Amino acid sequence: MGKRYYCDYCDRSFQDNMHNRKKHLNGVQHHRAKKAWFDQFRDSAAILYDEQVKKTCRKFLLKGFCDFGANCRFSHMSEEEQLMLKRQLEDEKQNKEDAADRMMAGRSVQEWLSKREKRKAALSSKGDLKTKEDREEVEEDNEIPHQLLSMPDLPPSLLPPPPGGWRVFVNAEWD
């Protein structure tokens, strides 16, 4: 029977030879399927721009459907949907700006980690925290940067202690 070529975009297979593959890869159906695949990964700004440039589809407005579907060269998005997409883009932009401002205002993770290492080294050489100033400095530096807290699955060494501190279990057998 020979080798078969499977096209992921079109979800079909055919006998693999140079003629068949070239014919398939240059076909209209393959190009449409490939475009549809990549369109699902486009960002909102590109979608909004494309929809604003297009004219509205009369058939879609009148009947609620279009024979061309996703291949129609006219827009099937209503003005309300475009406004919602525009608001979503503005919200995303504002969130990015807010995050950038917080990153600038707060200290970096590298800076926090280096201070933490220095503090650990000082504690191991000093022993116990004797003065009130030392304890206040440690409490001030214990605040974990928000960049770390936004990461899922932090290692236990970087997680903040729960409110009230860690629970200590005493094993009666070791007494």
Side-chain angles (χ1 to χ4, degrees), residues 3-7 12-16 21 24-25:
K3 289 185 179 181
R4 297 197 57 81
Y5 178 79
Y6 179 76
C7 178
R12 60 180 289 203
S13 66
F14 50 87
Q15 187 176 4
D16 190 19
R21 189 184 290 206
H24 174 76
L25 293 177

Side-chain angles (χ1 to χ4, degrees), residues 3-16 19-31 33-34:
K3 289 185 179 181
R4 297 197 57 81
Y5 178 79
Y6 179 76
C7 178
D8 289 318
Y9 300 116
C10 302
D11 192 29
R12 60 180 289 203
S13 66
F14 50 87
Q15 187 176 4
D16 190 19
H19 174 73
N20 288 350
R21 189 184 290 206
K22 187 174 182 180
K23 186 177 177 182
H24 174 76
L25 293 177
N26 290 328
V28 174
Q29 182 183 4
H30 175 75
H31 284 280
K34 187 176 174 184

Side-chain angles (χ1 to χ4, degrees), residues 74-87:
F74 298 108
S75 174
H76 293 173
M77 192 177 277
S78 68
E79 289 182 28
E80 295 140 6
E81 291 173 328
Q82 287 183 10
L83 283 173
M84 285 178 25
L85 192 57
K86 200 174 207 176
R87 282 191 212 119

Side-chain angles (χ1 to χ4, degrees), residues 43-46 48 52 81-99:
D43 63 334
S44 303
L48 180 65
Q52 287 176 336
E81 291 173 328
Q82 287 183 10
L83 283 173
M84 285 178 25
L85 192 57
K86 200 174 207 176
R87 282 191 212 119
Q88 179 186 349
L89 276 171
E90 290 169 358
D91 290 344
E92 288 175 6
K93 185 177 178 183
Q94 186 65 37
N95 288 341
K96 282 182 183 178
E97 289 174 0
D98 290 347

Side-chain angles (χ1 to χ4, degrees), residues 135-147:
R135 277 180 288 209
E136 287 175 359
E137 184 179 318
V138 168
E139 287 173 9
E140 179 183 307
D141 285 342
N142 269 345
E143 187 176 317
I144 296 175
H146 66 278
Q147 297 101 315

